[in-house]
Amino acid sequence: MEFPPDRINGTEQLSVQRRVGLVYDERMCKHSTPEAERHPENPDRIRAIWYKLLSAGIHHRCMVFDAKVVEDKYIAAVHTSNHIDLIKTISSKKTASQRNRVAARYNSIYFNEGSSESAYLAAGSVLEVAEKVAKGELNSAFAIVRPPGHHAEENEPMGFCLYNNVAIAARFLLNQKDLGINKILIVDWDVHHGNGTQKMFWKDPRVLFFSVHRHEYGSFYPTGDDGSHVMIGEGPGAGYNINVPWENGRCGDADYIAVWDHILIPVAKDFNPDIIIISAGFDAAIGDPLGGCRVTPHGYSIMLKKLMKFSRGKIIMALEGGYNLNSLANSVVACVEMLLEDKPVAESLEVYPFESTWRVIKAVREKLSTFWPTLADKLPEELTSRVTSQHQIYSSQSEDEYEDGPNTLPEDLENDVTIPLSKLNLSEDAGSDQVTATSQAWRSQLAKIDVWYASFGSNMSEPRFLCYIQGGQAEGMKRPCRGAVDKTKPKEVMWKTVPHRLFFGRESTATWGPGGVAFLNPESNYQEKTFICLYKITLEQFNDVLLQENVRIDTSSPFFDLNALDSIEYEKTISLEALKDGWYHNVVYLGKENDIPILTMTCTRTAVEGFKSGKIPICAPPKEYADTLVRGLVQGKQLSEDEAVSYIQEAATKPL
């Protein structure tokens, strides 16, 4: 559609000028933490973007809209009535303490008196500009909204997200038949997997959902297997869900553009969408404190330019994450300038992707080649052999735009950004001292109590277990462990057998890569016999092992305290709610030795049922993992090497 000439800033613009919409509304800043605590998802995020656009004069070249409240009937197309009632009433019908208690039920969520209005405005803004783009009133649009949305599931807010803004807009476009939108491409380039959006279109072939994100075998937020490349959709939607799961952080322009060129763009050509919606999170941007990746504004503009070749450039961008304010604002400006098509961009790069990036690309192409024949051809070795070392730092023409340069991440975040969103403590004031003091208090108390930690998996090998105590990396492991605060070796080591079933499940893990890992059925069965290696350690050390097994960093309080220790002898198992996103949050009591309790950690009974039903995959262990178990059993003088191999093979193949 061609528009009449516009008069902007006193000069007449040619009809080729694209009409780009912007939504910004200060009312969405009312959503903030209850006591104004520091938090990465805060009102300054959208203010920083808006001020940057104003200072660059870009708003003059766009059509600017205030936010609009969404109607419940449109929300109901993707969320349950209970979910709608929660978000609609949380601000007006609850006191601050009541809101806090409600928020505590969910993963990484806060509420205040402005949360309801902000959530309705965010969802309504994305829907409104999506409709305008679909009708041709706009060529494209950027909705500068918060709270974000892509983690919000049908009946659960999570990960800073209250309503799934993009999903609401996409369902609206599909349901309004007069708009003529029959196929939608949703591109989620937020560093975290868009679990909520994926589930809402899991069986819908009208929506091609594409997400590129840090996954690290399920250890990166939102954790679990939803973000795996094997999650491709179901029924008529099979093949229409594409996940590109990074194995590591530090991915930058070259990695993302390789994914665009060798997965997304070929599939988009065949899918031929009527419109594109981008879940535009910028926490993969260089310098982001949560993302740990290195995408530059230049990189984002290239990614967007490649997508503008489809659907006649009809693109809606909806803000998701992004927590480095400078990087966030610069990246959005680069994207809006690209939507306006008034700034050429060079697509050539002087760096190559990581080796792990090519490995992921090949796996995704192979998994989806049945559905998308364009992915069936093998990538030439000449291409995939061009790699960048993990330690090489990306350079960019736009790095000098940052106050915080690309190398200013704290070292611990640089190496392993797996901080759970609900556990963030970004305060630099006295509050952090208080947390440290609290941590020291519980540690001092629990350091006086001994327990037996019972290992049935790779920790049966003492060098492997000592990685959890002293830090480091044992043979076969793909990444190091942080270690415990108290690095004292176990006071004693001994072996036993227990009447529980050993089995192997999950398809991959961050520590061992593709393949299953060991689980112990928490239900006893006297027809079964499993070897366990007992390490006599303190209850403080046990808590640190718990944290590492469940990929957590927060140590401000113990997860398994003296009260839990007192009650587990009678309860037999305690599922730790605070660690529920981990696979080993179920502490199981296995009796006593020398009057000291024997504890292990494994999955829950519910998870066992999931393994039995096939909902969670049973999977044989990788060679490196199995070899570690064999070494533990042999060095512990429990079995010969042949006997240990047979023991593991039986556990891996015997039906649950």
Side-chain angles (χ1 to χ4, degrees):
M1 180 177 179
E2 192 169 288
F3 296 96
D6 287 336
R7 184 167 296 277
I8 302 176
N9 292 341
T11 61
E12 188 170 85
Q13 305 294 307
L14 299 177
S15 60
V16 294
Q17 170 74 47
R18 287 173 54 83
R19 188 162 292 188
V20 177
L22 291 177
V23 179
Y24 175 80
D25 198 308
E26 189 70 18
R27 289 177 293 171
M28 283 182 280
C29 294
K30 294 179 181 178
H31 173 62
S32 61
T33 50
E35 302 297 330
E37 304 98 328
R38 295 187 64 180
H39 193 282
E41 206 299 283
N42 63 71
D44 287 340
R45 296 178 60 239
I46 61 173
R47 287 178 178 138
I49 294 170
W50 186 240
Y51 296 157
K52 189 76 174 183
L53 290 168
L54 292 179
S55 64
I58 293 175
H59 64 299
H60 291 305
R61 309 204 298 274
C62 301
M63 298 182 66
V64 179
F65 301 92
D66 291 332
K68 183 178 179 181
V69 171
V70 69
E71 297 181 47
D72 284 349
K73 64 179 180 180
Y74 300 131
I75 305 174
V78 298
H79 289 294
T80 65
S81 57
N82 286 339
H83 185 101
I84 295 171
D85 184 63
L86 167 69
I87 304 303
K88 190 174 190 175
T89 62
I90 192 67
S91 294
S92 60
K93 294 187 178 180
K94 304 285 185 182
T95 64
S97 60
Q98 289 174 321
R99 285 194 292 267
N100 291 342
R101 286 196 294 271
V102 173
R105 300 178 202 157
Y106 300 104
N107 185 334
S108 308
I109 287 294
Y110 65 78
F111 296 119
N112 76 336
E113 63 276 5
S115 298
S116 298
E117 182 182 16
S118 295
Y120 271 82
L121 290 169
S125 298
V126 179
L127 185 150
E128 181 183 22
V129 292
E131 183 178 21
K132 290 181 181 296
V133 172
K135 288 180 175 179
E137 297 174 12
L138 297 172
N139 293 109
S140 56
F142 198 117
I144 308 165
V145 298
R146 62 177 296 274
H150 70 149
H151 291 310
E153 299 192 350
E154 181 185 20
N155 196 38
E156 182 179 1
M158 66 177 287
F160 310 163
C161 302
L162 304 188
Y163 282 142
N164 196 312
N165 308 318
V166 163
I168 292 169
R171 188 74 75 189
F172 170 83
L173 295 179
L174 291 170
N175 289 344
Q176 302 298 310
K177 301 302 181 184
D178 59 314
L179 295 177
I181 302 297
N182 300 308
K183 291 188 294 182
I184 299 176
L185 168 60
I186 297 178
V187 176
D188 190 330
W189 68 38
D190 190 281
V191 80
H192 303 96
H193 178 240
N195 55 292
T197 314
Q198 171 174 292
K199 291 177 181 179
M200 289 169 176
F201 299 105
W202 184 245
K203 298 181 180 180
D204 195 336
R206 300 173 299 171
V207 175
L208 175 61
F209 176 69
F210 173 91
S211 178
V212 55
H213 48 271
R214 282 186 71 175
H215 183 60
E216 291 161 55
Y217 308 104
S219 66
F220 197 76
Y221 192 90
T223 69
D225 295 329
D226 284 344
S228 168
H229 76 285
V230 302
M231 304 297 283
I232 61 171
E234 185 180 341
Y240 291 91
N241 194 90
I242 302 177
N243 285 322
V244 180
W246 297 138
E247 296 178 357
N248 47 262
R250 301 190 180 189
C251 294
D253 296 355
D255 304 281
Y256 279 78
I257 291 167
V259 167
W260 255 236
D261 289 344
H262 301 292
I263 299 176
L264 177 56
I265 299 305
V267 172
K269 285 179 182 177
D270 288 352
F271 182 64
N272 191 24
D274 298 315
I275 203 165
I276 298 173
I277 306 178
I278 300 177
S279 269
F282 294 94
D283 40 9
I286 198 164
D288 190 274
L290 300 190
C293 286
R294 300 181 180 278
V295 182
T296 68
H298 181 65
Y300 282 117
S301 64
I302 295 175
M303 291 153 59
L304 179 57
K305 185 178 182 66
K306 289 177 180 288
L307 291 172
M308 290 176 68
K309 298 173 183 176
F310 303 101
S311 66
R312 301 185 305 283
K314 290 188 172 186
I315 294 179
I316 302 100
M317 302 184 70
L319 183 65
E320 299 284 2
Y323 308 100
N324 178 313
L325 300 188
N326 291 319
S327 188
L328 170 64
N330 288 334
S331 298
V332 173
V333 166
C335 287
V336 176
E337 288 183 331
M338 181 53 61
L339 292 177
L340 288 164
E341 287 190 338
D342 60 359
K343 184 177 182 181
V345 59
E347 294 190 21
S348 61
L349 297 173
E350 297 179 358
V351 292
Y352 299 118
F354 292 138
E355 180 184 2
S356 62
T357 295
W358 288 122
R359 185 165 54 245
V360 169
I361 289 173
K362 290 175 183 177
V364 174
R365 285 172 63 95
E366 181 180 355
K367 185 68 179 178
L368 289 160
S369 60
T370 303
F371 304 95
W372 304 100
T374 186
L375 302 180
D377 293 340
K378 185 178 179 180
L379 296 176
E381 187 174 343
E382 179 186 355
L383 175 69
T384 59
S385 63
R386 300 172 183 170
V387 298
T388 291
S389 164
Q390 287 277 6
H391 299 290
Q392 181 172 338
I393 304 299
Y394 285 127
S395 63
S396 166
Q397 62 187 42
S398 56
E399 283 182 6
D400 59 355
E401 297 176 13
Y402 296 94
E403 292 178 12
D404 299 320
N407 303 319
T408 57
L409 280 178
E411 184 178 353
D412 56 339
L413 290 181
E414 186 89 311
N415 292 333
D416 185 14
V417 185
T418 54
I419 298 175
L421 303 187
S422 57
K423 299 296 181 184
L424 282 166
N425 178 11
L426 302 184
S427 176
E428 298 174 358
D429 55 19
S432 60
D433 297 332
Q434 183 178 356
V435 170
T436 301
T438 303
S439 175
Q440 290 173 344
W442 75 257
R443 287 186 177 281
S444 176
Q445 183 182 42
L446 300 193
K448 302 172 184 177
I449 309 297
D450 286 339
V451 296
W452 292 102
Y453 163 61
S455 171
F456 48 83
S458 64
N459 286 333
M460 290 191 297
S461 170
E462 189 168 350
R464 162 65 182 100
F465 175 67
L466 288 178
C467 295
Y468 273 158
I469 300 300
Q470 299 180 329
Q473 188 169 351
E475 182 180 352
M477 294 170 62
K478 297 187 180 301
R479 68 174 189 174
C481 298
R482 296 187 302 275
V485 172
D486 178 2
K487 301 188 183 302
T488 307
K489 288 186 176 182
K491 300 170 184 175
E492 191 176 344
V493 181
M494 64 181 299
W495 287 80
K496 290 178 69 73
T497 60
V498 290
H500 289 260
R501 168 66 197 279
L502 174 72
F503 65 96
F504 298 91
R506 298 182 64 196
E507 289 188 322
S508 60
T509 63
T511 302
W512 298 99
V517 288
F519 290 94
L520 194 73
N521 190 332
E523 293 283 357
S524 61
N525 181 345
Y526 285 91
Q527 295 180 341
E528 302 285 356
K529 183 175 83 168
T530 293
F531 289 92
I532 57 172
C533 182
L534 304 183
Y535 297 98
K536 189 177 180 181
I537 60 177
T538 68
L539 190 55
E540 177 200 3
Q541 290 175 313
F542 182 80
N543 271 273
D544 282 340
V545 174
L546 257 176
L547 288 164
Q548 293 173 84
E549 281 281 19
N550 292 282
V551 197
R552 292 293 181 265
I553 291 178
D554 177 74
T555 57
S556 58
S557 61
F559 290 98
F560 191 86
D561 57 14
L562 291 176
N563 290 332
L565 186 64
D566 289 340
S567 61
I568 196 167
E569 183 174 351
Y570 306 100
E571 296 183 26
K572 304 305 180 187
T573 67
I574 295 179
S575 178
L576 301 173
E577 184 69 15
L579 296 174
K580 67 179 181 179
D581 291 333
W583 285 93
Y584 294 92
H585 67 273
N586 190 31
V587 179
V588 179
Y589 176 78
L590 296 175
K592 287 187 175 181
E593 183 68 31
N594 298 330
D595 206 35
I596 295 174
I598 302 171
L599 307 176
T600 194
M601 52 194 79
T602 184
C603 62
T604 62
R605 294 183 177 91
T606 301
V608 171
E609 293 306 312
F611 284 116
K612 288 180 178 179
S613 69
K615 184 178 179 181
I616 309 173
I618 294 287
C619 193
K623 183 179 185 303
E624 296 85 352
Y625 186 82
D627 288 347
T628 305
L629 270 67
V630 169
R631 282 195 296 272
L633 290 162
V634 172
Q635 292 168 1
K637 299 180 180 181
Q638 302 303 300
L639 297 172
S640 69
E641 185 172 342
D642 288 343
E643 288 171 335
V645 170
S646 297
Y647 168 76
I648 293 166
Q649 286 179 339
E650 181 182 3
T653 56
K654 182 180 175 182
L656 264 178

